[in-house]
Amino acid sequence: MLNVALPKGRLGERVYAMFEAAGYPCPSIKENNRKLIFENPECGVRYFWVKPSDVSIYVERGAADIGVAGKDILLEYTPDVYELLDMKTGICRMAVAAPKGFRDDTRRALRVATKFSKIAGDYYASRSREIDIIHLNGSIEIAPILGLSDVIVDIVETGTTLKENDLEVIETIVPISARLIANKASYKFKNEQIKALTAHLAGQLQAED
Ligand code: PRP
C-alpha cells in the first residue's frame, strides 16, 4: 500500500483528479463526509487529506510515502525529501508587493511582512538588502496598508487579492507549482510502486499538454 498525503482544499481536489485519471482512483473519497483517510486496496493506495503546509512533514517523517506539496512549502521548510515531478498545477508565483508608488528607502532596513520568512530572507540576502522580517500567519496584504510593513512577500495567483488591497507586484521571486514528493526510505523500499505511479502521472500530464 502506498500512503499518499494530499493537500486539503481546492488544490488537493485537482491533484486527486490527476491521480484518479492516472489509474489510482478511490471512489469513497468523493463521499461528502469528514473522514480524512481513504483507501483502495485494489490500486494499492491510501490517501489522506492534510493541511497543505503539513504535507512535507508527513512525507519527510515517513507517515506518507509520497505527497503533493507546493514549491513554496519546499523552499520555505526545505524538507529532506525527493522531488519527483512538477504536477503543473497550483501555478502561481512568490512575489514582493507594495502599495502603488512605493519607493525603497535604502538608508534603512526594509520591513517585510510574510508567511515565508526563509524565502524572503534568502531573497534579500542574495541582494545584500538589509531587512526586518515581520512574520505573519495570514492576511499579509493588510500589513503595508496599516503601516506594519513596507512590502510583503506572498503568493500571487490571479493578482486579485493585491488589486483589491491597492498593492502591486514589484518583483517576482520565483515561480511556484505543486510537486510530487517522496520519502527517501520509501523511495528505496517501494521503488517500483513509486516509479510506476510517477510515470503514470507524468504520462497523464503529457497527454493533457
Ligand atoms: C494566497 C495568498 C494571497 C492569495 C493570492 O492565499 O496568500 O492572499 O492566495 O491569490 P490571488 O492572486 O489569486 O488573489 P491563500 O488563499 O492560499 O490562503 P492563505 O490566506 O492561507 O495564505
Side-chain angles (χ1 to χ4, degrees), residues 127-160:
R127 301 169 65 104
S128 304
R129 177 72 175 99
E130 190 197 342
I131 59 168
D132 174 13
I133 295 248
I134 300 156
H135 188 92
L136 298 176
N137 297 301
S139 300
I140 318 294
E141 291 83 1
I142 64 171
I145 299 170
L146 299 177
L148 179 63
S149 75
D150 301 307
V151 300
I152 65 171
V153 166
D154 202 8
I155 283 168
V156 181
E157 191 178 354
T158 60
T160 309

PDB file of all heavy atoms in Angstrom, residues 127-160:
ATOM      1  N   ARG A 127      20.513  39.751  -2.442  1.00  0.00           N
ATOM      2  CA  ARG A 127      20.620  41.111  -2.997  1.00  0.00           C
ATOM      3  C   ARG A 127      21.312  42.056  -2.022  1.00  0.00           C
ATOM      4  O   ARG A 127      21.322  43.272  -2.236  1.00  0.00           O
ATOM      5  CB  ARG A 127      19.223  41.626  -3.323  1.00  0.00           C
ATOM      6  CG  ARG A 127      18.516  40.719  -4.311  1.00  0.00           C
ATOM      7  CD  ARG A 127      17.059  41.083  -4.431  1.00  0.00           C
ATOM      8  NE  ARG A 127      16.895  42.397  -4.991  1.00  0.00           N
ATOM      9  CZ  ARG A 127      16.519  42.645  -6.219  1.00  0.00           C
ATOM     10  NH1 ARG A 127      16.240  41.671  -7.035  1.00  0.00           N
ATOM     11  NH2 ARG A 127      16.393  43.878  -6.653  1.00  0.00           N
ATOM     12  N   SER A 128      21.829  41.488  -0.937  1.00  0.00           N
ATOM     13  CA  SER A 128      22.519  42.267   0.105  1.00  0.00           C
ATOM     14  C   SER A 128      21.675  43.441   0.599  1.00  0.00           C
ATOM     15  O   SER A 128      22.210  44.514   0.894  1.00  0.00           O
ATOM     16  CB  SER A 128      23.867  42.787  -0.417  1.00  0.00           C
ATOM     17  OG  SER A 128      24.652  41.725  -0.873  1.00  0.00           O
ATOM     18  N   ARG A 129      20.387  43.220   0.683  1.00  0.00           N
ATOM     19  CA  ARG A 129      19.498  44.268   1.189  1.00  0.00           C
ATOM     20  C   ARG A 129      19.122  43.918   2.621  1.00  0.00           C
ATOM     21  O   ARG A 129      18.611  42.820   2.891  1.00  0.00           O
ATOM     22  CB  ARG A 129      18.240  44.350   0.308  1.00  0.00           C
ATOM     23  CG  ARG A 129      17.195  45.356   0.781  1.00  0.00           C
ATOM     24  CD  ARG A 129      17.665  46.780   0.534  1.00  0.00           C
ATOM     25  NE  ARG A 129      16.634  47.760   0.863  1.00  0.00           N
ATOM     26  CZ  ARG A 129      16.584  48.447   2.018  1.00  0.00           C
ATOM     27  NH1 ARG A 129      17.483  48.233   2.965  1.00  0.00           N
ATOM     28  NH2 ARG A 129      15.642  49.345   2.226  1.00  0.00           N
ATOM     29  N   GLU A 130      19.372  44.838   3.525  1.00  0.00           N
ATOM     30  CA  GLU A 130      19.048  44.604   4.932  1.00  0.00           C
ATOM     31  C   GLU A 130      17.538  44.678   5.128  1.00  0.00           C
ATOM     32  O   GLU A 130      16.900  45.638   4.663  1.00  0.00           O
ATOM     33  CB  GLU A 130      19.748  45.660   5.796  1.00  0.00           C
ATOM     34  CG  GLU A 130      19.686  45.364   7.271  1.00  0.00           C
ATOM     35  CD  GLU A 130      20.004  46.580   8.135  1.00  0.00           C
ATOM     36  OE1 GLU A 130      20.602  47.544   7.614  1.00  0.00           O
ATOM     37  OE2 GLU A 130      19.629  46.551   9.316  1.00  0.00           O
ATOM     38  N   ILE A 131      16.980  43.661   5.809  1.00  0.00           N
ATOM     39  CA  ILE A 131      15.529  43.695   6.023  1.00  0.00           C
ATOM     40  C   ILE A 131      15.183  43.398   7.478  1.00  0.00           C
ATOM     41  O   ILE A 131      15.984  42.850   8.232  1.00  0.00           O
ATOM     42  CB  ILE A 131      14.775  42.682   5.117  1.00  0.00           C
ATOM     43  CG1 ILE A 131      15.250  41.234   5.360  1.00  0.00           C
ATOM     44  CG2 ILE A 131      14.900  43.048   3.656  1.00  0.00           C
ATOM     45  CD1 ILE A 131      14.348  40.210   4.729  1.00  0.00           C
ATOM     46  N   ASP A 132      13.952  43.755   7.812  1.00  0.00           N
ATOM     47  CA  ASP A 132      13.390  43.435   9.110  1.00  0.00           C
ATOM     48  C   ASP A 132      12.164  42.578   8.797  1.00  0.00           C
ATOM     49  O   ASP A 132      11.190  43.070   8.219  1.00  0.00           O
ATOM     50  CB  ASP A 132      12.992  44.764   9.794  1.00  0.00           C
ATOM     51  CG  ASP A 132      12.249  44.544  11.094  1.00  0.00           C
ATOM     52  OD1 ASP A 132      12.254  43.404  11.601  1.00  0.00           O
ATOM     53  OD2 ASP A 132      11.664  45.523  11.596  1.00  0.00           O
ATOM     54  N   ILE A 133      12.248  41.274   9.121  1.00  0.00           N
ATOM     55  CA  ILE A 133      11.147  40.368   8.775  1.00  0.00           C
ATOM     56  C   ILE A 133      10.058  40.438   9.835  1.00  0.00           C
ATOM     57  O   ILE A 133      10.330  40.318  11.032  1.00  0.00           O
ATOM     58  CB  ILE A 133      11.648  38.912   8.685  1.00  0.00           C
ATOM     59  CG1 ILE A 133      12.640  38.762   7.533  1.00  0.00           C
ATOM     60  CG2 ILE A 133      10.480  37.937   8.578  1.00  0.00           C
ATOM     61  CD1 ILE A 133      12.185  37.929   6.385  1.00  0.00           C
ATOM     62  N   ILE A 134       8.835  40.598   9.360  1.00  0.00           N
ATOM     63  CA  ILE A 134       7.688  40.552  10.269  1.00  0.00           C
ATOM     64  C   ILE A 134       6.905  39.308   9.889  1.00  0.00           C
ATOM     65  O   ILE A 134       6.249  39.276   8.837  1.00  0.00           O
ATOM     66  CB  ILE A 134       6.836  41.826  10.127  1.00  0.00           C
ATOM     67  CG1 ILE A 134       7.702  43.034  10.467  1.00  0.00           C
ATOM     68  CG2 ILE A 134       5.596  41.743  11.004  1.00  0.00           C
ATOM     69  CD1 ILE A 134       7.245  44.320   9.855  1.00  0.00           C
ATOM     70  N   HIS A 135       7.034  38.271  10.687  1.00  0.00           N
ATOM     71  CA  HIS A 135       6.394  37.001  10.336  1.00  0.00           C
ATOM     72  C   HIS A 135       4.922  37.024  10.723  1.00  0.00           C
ATOM     73  O   HIS A 135       4.570  37.193  11.884  1.00  0.00           O
ATOM     74  CB  HIS A 135       7.101  35.825  11.011  1.00  0.00           C
ATOM     75  CG  HIS A 135       6.593  34.510  10.509  1.00  0.00           C
ATOM     76  ND1 HIS A 135       7.177  33.846   9.453  1.00  0.00           N
ATOM     77  CD2 HIS A 135       5.520  33.770  10.862  1.00  0.00           C
ATOM     78  CE1 HIS A 135       6.491  32.747   9.202  1.00  0.00           C
ATOM     79  NE2 HIS A 135       5.477  32.680  10.043  1.00  0.00           N
ATOM     80  N   LEU A 136       4.057  36.854   9.719  1.00  0.00           N
ATOM     81  CA  LEU A 136       2.613  36.795   9.960  1.00  0.00           C
ATOM     82  C   LEU A 136       2.089  35.443   9.494  1.00  0.00           C
ATOM     83  O   LEU A 136       2.760  34.733   8.745  1.00  0.00           O
ATOM     84  CB  LEU A 136       1.909  37.918   9.183  1.00  0.00           C
ATOM     85  CG  LEU A 136       2.278  39.361   9.554  1.00  0.00           C
ATOM     86  CD1 LEU A 136       1.560  40.337   8.620  1.00  0.00           C
ATOM     87  CD2 LEU A 136       1.913  39.666  11.008  1.00  0.00           C
ATOM     88  N   ASN A 137       0.868  35.124   9.895  1.00  0.00           N
ATOM     89  CA  ASN A 137       0.301  33.820   9.521  1.00  0.00           C
ATOM     90  C   ASN A 137      -0.819  33.901   8.495  1.00  0.00           C
ATOM     91  O   ASN A 137      -1.348  32.878   8.072  1.00  0.00           O
ATOM     92  CB  ASN A 137      -0.194  33.107  10.786  1.00  0.00           C
ATOM     93  CG  ASN A 137       0.953  32.826  11.728  1.00  0.00           C
ATOM     94  OD1 ASN A 137       1.908  32.128  11.366  1.00  0.00           O
ATOM     95  ND2 ASN A 137       0.914  33.410  12.907  1.00  0.00           N
ATOM     96  N   GLY A 138      -1.201  35.091   8.103  1.00  0.00           N
ATOM     97  CA  GLY A 138      -2.259  35.226   7.102  1.00  0.00           C
ATOM     98  C   GLY A 138      -2.603  36.697   6.947  1.00  0.00           C
ATOM     99  O   GLY A 138      -2.046  37.554   7.639  1.00  0.00           O
ATOM    100  N   SER A 139      -3.523  36.986   5.994  1.00  0.00           N
ATOM    101  CA  SER A 139      -3.941  38.372   5.708  1.00  0.00           C
ATOM    102  C   SER A 139      -2.730  39.311   5.596  1.00  0.00           C
ATOM    103  O   SER A 139      -2.764  40.441   6.097  1.00  0.00           O
ATOM    104  CB  SER A 139      -4.888  38.904   6.793  1.00  0.00           C
ATOM    105  OG  SER A 139      -6.032  38.096   6.867  1.00  0.00           O
ATOM    106  N   ILE A 140      -1.705  38.834   4.932  1.00  0.00           N
ATOM    107  CA  ILE A 140      -0.452  39.579   4.817  1.00  0.00           C
ATOM    108  C   ILE A 140      -0.674  40.940   4.151  1.00  0.00           C
ATOM    109  O   ILE A 140      -0.002  41.925   4.455  1.00  0.00           O
ATOM    110  CB  ILE A 140       0.580  38.783   3.961  1.00  0.00           C
ATOM    111  CG1 ILE A 140       0.588  37.295   4.303  1.00  0.00           C
ATOM    112  CG2 ILE A 140       1.977  39.388   4.062  1.00  0.00           C
ATOM    113  CD1 ILE A 140       1.070  36.948   5.665  1.00  0.00           C
ATOM    114  N   GLU A 141      -1.660  40.943   3.236  1.00  0.00           N
ATOM    115  CA  GLU A 141      -1.864  42.143   2.409  1.00  0.00           C
ATOM    116  C   GLU A 141      -2.190  43.398   3.206  1.00  0.00           C
ATOM    117  O   GLU A 141      -1.994  44.512   2.723  1.00  0.00           O
ATOM    118  CB  GLU A 141      -2.983  41.892   1.383  1.00  0.00           C
ATOM    119  CG  GLU A 141      -2.635  40.886   0.294  1.00  0.00           C
ATOM    120  CD  GLU A 141      -2.824  39.435   0.719  1.00  0.00           C
ATOM    121  OE1 GLU A 141      -3.243  39.184   1.875  1.00  0.00           O
ATOM    122  OE2 GLU A 141      -2.522  38.547  -0.106  1.00  0.00           O
ATOM    123  N   ILE A 142      -2.719  43.221   4.403  1.00  0.00           N
ATOM    124  CA  ILE A 142      -3.081  44.447   5.128  1.00  0.00           C
ATOM    125  C   ILE A 142      -1.891  45.071   5.858  1.00  0.00           C
ATOM    126  O   ILE A 142      -1.968  46.213   6.297  1.00  0.00           O
ATOM    127  CB  ILE A 142      -4.274  44.253   6.109  1.00  0.00           C
ATOM    128  CG1 ILE A 142      -3.914  43.286   7.222  1.00  0.00           C
ATOM    129  CG2 ILE A 142      -5.528  43.811   5.373  1.00  0.00           C
ATOM    130  CD1 ILE A 142      -4.980  43.263   8.313  1.00  0.00           C
ATOM    131  N   ALA A 143      -0.779  44.344   5.966  1.00  0.00           N
ATOM    132  CA  ALA A 143       0.368  44.871   6.727  1.00  0.00           C
ATOM    133  C   ALA A 143       0.863  46.231   6.193  1.00  0.00           C
ATOM    134  O   ALA A 143       1.033  47.171   6.987  1.00  0.00           O
ATOM    135  CB  ALA A 143       1.497  43.846   6.772  1.00  0.00           C
ATOM    136  N   PRO A 144       1.080  46.385   4.881  1.00  0.00           N
ATOM    137  CA  PRO A 144       1.547  47.702   4.408  1.00  0.00           C
ATOM    138  C   PRO A 144       0.479  48.782   4.522  1.00  0.00           C
ATOM    139  O   PRO A 144       0.790  49.956   4.746  1.00  0.00           O
ATOM    140  CB  PRO A 144       1.903  47.469   2.935  1.00  0.00           C
ATOM    141  CG  PRO A 144       1.736  46.034   2.661  1.00  0.00           C
ATOM    142  CD  PRO A 144       1.026  45.395   3.807  1.00  0.00           C
ATOM    143  N   ILE A 145      -0.779  48.363   4.406  1.00  0.00           N
ATOM    144  CA  ILE A 145      -1.868  49.347   4.487  1.00  0.00           C
ATOM    145  C   ILE A 145      -1.899  49.975   5.881  1.00  0.00           C
ATOM    146  O   ILE A 145      -2.124  51.172   6.046  1.00  0.00           O
ATOM    147  CB  ILE A 145      -3.237  48.673   4.187  1.00  0.00           C
ATOM    148  CG1 ILE A 145      -3.242  48.098   2.765  1.00  0.00           C
ATOM    149  CG2 ILE A 145      -4.396  49.640   4.402  1.00  0.00           C
ATOM    150  CD1 ILE A 145      -4.436  47.221   2.464  1.00  0.00           C
ATOM    151  N   LEU A 146      -1.635  49.158   6.887  1.00  0.00           N
ATOM    152  CA  LEU A 146      -1.689  49.647   8.263  1.00  0.00           C
ATOM    153  C   LEU A 146      -0.340  50.162   8.765  1.00  0.00           C
ATOM    154  O   LEU A 146      -0.190  50.495   9.924  1.00  0.00           O
ATOM    155  CB  LEU A 146      -2.195  48.526   9.181  1.00  0.00           C
ATOM    156  CG  LEU A 146      -3.608  48.035   8.846  1.00  0.00           C
ATOM    157  CD1 LEU A 146      -3.998  46.885   9.744  1.00  0.00           C
ATOM    158  CD2 LEU A 146      -4.620  49.164   8.974  1.00  0.00           C
ATOM    159  N   GLY A 147       0.653  50.172   7.880  1.00  0.00           N
ATOM    160  CA  GLY A 147       1.964  50.702   8.260  1.00  0.00           C
ATOM    161  C   GLY A 147       2.804  49.728   9.068  1.00  0.00           C
ATOM    162  O   GLY A 147       3.810  50.100   9.668  1.00  0.00           O
ATOM    163  N   LEU A 148       2.372  48.451   9.104  1.00  0.00           N
ATOM    164  CA  LEU A 148       3.146  47.442   9.833  1.00  0.00           C
ATOM    165  C   LEU A 148       4.409  47.070   9.058  1.00  0.00           C
ATOM    166  O   LEU A 148       5.418  46.694   9.637  1.00  0.00           O
ATOM    167  CB  LEU A 148       2.264  46.202  10.053  1.00  0.00           C
ATOM    168  CG  LEU A 148       2.879  45.003  10.781  1.00  0.00           C
ATOM    169  CD1 LEU A 148       3.270  45.378  12.208  1.00  0.00           C
ATOM    170  CD2 LEU A 148       1.889  43.829  10.815  1.00  0.00           C
ATOM    171  N   SER A 149       4.330  47.137   7.724  1.00  0.00           N
ATOM    172  CA  SER A 149       5.498  46.803   6.899  1.00  0.00           C
ATOM    173  C   SER A 149       5.560  47.734   5.698  1.00  0.00           C
ATOM    174  O   SER A 149       4.588  48.443   5.397  1.00  0.00           O
ATOM    175  CB  SER A 149       5.419  45.352   6.421  1.00  0.00           C
ATOM    176  OG  SER A 149       4.472  45.217   5.382  1.00  0.00           O
ATOM    177  N   ASP A 150       6.733  47.709   5.007  1.00  0.00           N
ATOM    178  CA  ASP A 150       6.856  48.481   3.765  1.00  0.00           C
ATOM    179  C   ASP A 150       6.350  47.670   2.586  1.00  0.00           C
ATOM    180  O   ASP A 150       5.674  48.185   1.700  1.00  0.00           O
ATOM    181  CB  ASP A 150       8.334  48.839   3.521  1.00  0.00           C
ATOM    182  CG  ASP A 150       8.914  49.645   4.666  1.00  0.00           C
ATOM    183  OD1 ASP A 150       8.299  50.671   5.020  1.00  0.00           O
ATOM    184  OD2 ASP A 150       9.955  49.232   5.225  1.00  0.00           O
ATOM    185  N   VAL A 151       6.713  46.378   2.576  1.00  0.00           N
ATOM    186  CA  VAL A 151       6.328  45.495   1.465  1.00  0.00           C
ATOM    187  C   VAL A 151       5.868  44.161   2.050  1.00  0.00           C
ATOM    188  O   VAL A 151       6.004  43.913   3.253  1.00  0.00           O
ATOM    189  CB  VAL A 151       7.527  45.244   0.498  1.00  0.00           C
ATOM    190  CG1 VAL A 151       8.028  46.542  -0.103  1.00  0.00           C
ATOM    191  CG2 VAL A 151       8.665  44.494   1.208  1.00  0.00           C
ATOM    192  N   ILE A 152       5.355  43.306   1.167  1.00  0.00           N
ATOM    193  CA  ILE A 152       5.035  41.936   1.582  1.00  0.00           C
ATOM    194  C   ILE A 152       5.717  40.968   0.620  1.00  0.00           C
ATOM    195  O   ILE A 152       6.016  41.331  -0.527  1.00  0.00           O
ATOM    196  CB  ILE A 152       3.510  41.644   1.602  1.00  0.00           C
ATOM    197  CG1 ILE A 152       2.903  41.723   0.191  1.00  0.00           C
ATOM    198  CG2 ILE A 152       2.799  42.593   2.539  1.00  0.00           C
ATOM    199  CD1 ILE A 152       1.456  41.221   0.124  1.00  0.00           C
ATOM    200  N   VAL A 153       5.973  39.772   1.099  1.00  0.00           N
ATOM    201  CA  VAL A 153       6.394  38.675   0.221  1.00  0.00           C
ATOM    202  C   VAL A 153       5.311  37.631   0.360  1.00  0.00           C
ATOM    203  O   VAL A 153       5.048  37.138   1.470  1.00  0.00           O
ATOM    204  CB  VAL A 153       7.771  38.114   0.622  1.00  0.00           C
ATOM    205  CG1 VAL A 153       8.030  36.768  -0.064  1.00  0.00           C
ATOM    206  CG2 VAL A 153       8.879  39.100   0.257  1.00  0.00           C
ATOM    207  N   ASP A 154       4.625  37.332  -0.754  1.00  0.00           N
ATOM    208  CA  ASP A 154       3.494  36.415  -0.667  1.00  0.00           C
ATOM    209  C   ASP A 154       3.258  35.757  -2.016  1.00  0.00           C
ATOM    210  O   ASP A 154       3.862  36.122  -3.023  1.00  0.00           O
ATOM    211  CB  ASP A 154       2.237  37.174  -0.213  1.00  0.00           C
ATOM    212  CG  ASP A 154       1.186  36.248   0.413  1.00  0.00           C
ATOM    213  OD1 ASP A 154       1.480  35.054   0.628  1.00  0.00           O
ATOM    214  OD2 ASP A 154       0.063  36.727   0.678  1.00  0.00           O
ATOM    215  N   ILE A 155       2.316  34.818  -1.982  1.00  0.00           N
ATOM    216  CA  ILE A 155       1.934  34.120  -3.200  1.00  0.00           C
ATOM    217  C   ILE A 155       0.943  34.972  -3.987  1.00  0.00           C
ATOM    218  O   ILE A 155       0.008  35.531  -3.413  1.00  0.00           O
ATOM    219  CB  ILE A 155       1.294  32.770  -2.816  1.00  0.00           C
ATOM    220  CG1 ILE A 155       2.397  31.801  -2.424  1.00  0.00           C
ATOM    221  CG2 ILE A 155       0.451  32.217  -3.932  1.00  0.00           C
ATOM    222  CD1 ILE A 155       1.872  30.564  -1.774  1.00  0.00           C
ATOM    223  N   VAL A 156       1.177  35.064  -5.276  1.00  0.00           N
ATOM    224  CA  VAL A 156       0.252  35.776  -6.160  1.00  0.00           C
ATOM    225  C   VAL A 156      -0.213  34.779  -7.213  1.00  0.00           C
ATOM    226  O   VAL A 156       0.604  34.158  -7.886  1.00  0.00           O
ATOM    227  CB  VAL A 156       0.937  36.972  -6.853  1.00  0.00           C
ATOM    228  CG1 VAL A 156      -0.057  37.702  -7.756  1.00  0.00           C
ATOM    229  CG2 VAL A 156       1.524  37.922  -5.826  1.00  0.00           C
ATOM    230  N   GLU A 157      -1.539  34.630  -7.299  1.00  0.00           N
ATOM    231  CA  GLU A 157      -2.050  33.717  -8.327  1.00  0.00           C
ATOM    232  C   GLU A 157      -2.718  34.557  -9.415  1.00  0.00           C
ATOM    233  O   GLU A 157      -2.116  34.857 -10.431  1.00  0.00           O
ATOM    234  CB  GLU A 157      -3.001  32.706  -7.694  1.00  0.00           C
ATOM    235  CG  GLU A 157      -3.367  31.577  -8.642  1.00  0.00           C
ATOM    236  CD  GLU A 157      -4.274  30.531  -8.015  1.00  0.00           C
ATOM    237  OE1 GLU A 157      -4.553  30.603  -6.803  1.00  0.00           O
ATOM    238  OE2 GLU A 157      -4.716  29.631  -8.762  1.00  0.00           O
ATOM    239  N   THR A 158      -3.925  35.009  -9.160  1.00  0.00           N
ATOM    240  CA  THR A 158      -4.599  35.847 -10.156  1.00  0.00           C
ATOM    241  C   THR A 158      -4.222  37.322 -10.001  1.00  0.00           C
ATOM    242  O   THR A 158      -4.404  38.109 -10.923  1.00  0.00           O
ATOM    243  CB  THR A 158      -6.125  35.725  -9.991  1.00  0.00           C
ATOM    244  OG1 THR A 158      -6.454  36.173  -8.659  1.00  0.00           O
ATOM    245  CG2 THR A 158      -6.602  34.302 -10.177  1.00  0.00           C
ATOM    246  N   GLY A 159      -3.766  37.710  -8.835  1.00  0.00           N
ATOM    247  CA  GLY A 159      -3.449  39.111  -8.568  1.00  0.00           C
ATOM    248  C   GLY A 159      -4.630  39.880  -7.968  1.00  0.00           C
ATOM    249  O   GLY A 159      -4.509  41.049  -7.603  1.00  0.00           O
ATOM    250  N   THR A 160      -5.761  39.191  -7.843  1.00  0.00           N
ATOM    251  CA  THR A 160      -6.976  39.863  -7.355  1.00  0.00           C
ATOM    252  C   THR A 160      -6.815  40.384  -5.923  1.00  0.00           C
ATOM    253  O   THR A 160      -7.217  41.522  -5.625  1.00  0.00           O
ATOM    254  CB  THR A 160      -8.175  38.887  -7.397  1.00  0.00           C
ATOM    255  OG1 THR A 160      -8.211  38.315  -8.696  1.00  0.00           O
ATOM    256  CG2 THR A 160      -9.481  39.578  -7.094  1.00  0.00           C
TER     257      THR A 160
END
